[in-house]
Amino acid sequence: MKRRKAWLLLAGAAGTTTLLMRNEEFRSKVRRSYGQLRSYFKDSSVMNKVKDRRIGHSHPHDYDDHNMVEEGAMTSINYYNKAQQKDHQ
């Protein structure tokens, strides 16, 4: 029964959309709204955050970033050293 309702709802939505899209004025409004929505998401801060992310080498005077890299490098070295010490004991 739920599937039948879903199919009827889908068919009703498709029929309504078809009827509305026959009108040229409504079609142009839909195109304009779609363009505005697309540009909104394209220019949103979510997309800008991806562009602002630092890739590669950081600025030489960014000490916090250098400290994070140093801590990350030391973590793997300490792990390796502990594994080597366990093997030798």
Side-chain angles (χ1 to χ4, degrees):
M1 191 65 158
K2 287 185 179 183
R3 283 188 176 185
R4 185 174 184 189
K5 286 181 183 179
W7 279 106
L8 287 174
L9 182 64
L10 183 63
T16 304
T17 302
T18 303
L19 286 174
L20 289 174
M21 292 304 244
R22 289 172 57 184
N23 185 355
E24 180 64 37
E25 183 181 334
F26 183 77
R27 207 175 332 158
S28 66
K29 284 182 183 179
V30 169
R31 283 186 190 139
R32 189 172 41 251
S33 297
Y34 175 72
Q36 289 172 349
L37 187 65
R38 193 175 83 194
S39 68
Y40 171 76
F41 282 112
K42 199 173 191 180
D43 297 336
S44 70
S45 63
V46 173
M47 294 301 289
N48 290 336
K49 285 180 185 177
V50 173
K51 293 177 186 174
D52 290 341
R53 190 174 12 164
R54 284 178 257 156
I55 299 173
H57 301 289
S58 63
H59 192 272
H61 300 292
D62 189 359
Y63 299 113
D64 292 330
D65 191 39
H66 290 291
N67 190 26
M68 288 177 53
V69 170
E70 181 181 331
E71 288 173 1
M74 290 307 297
T75 302
S76 60
I77 291 170
N78 289 337
Y79 178 79
Y80 178 77
N81 287 341
K82 286 180 184 178
Q84 290 297 318
Q85 287 175 357
K86 282 184 180 180
D87 289 344
H88 290 302
Q89 287 179 358

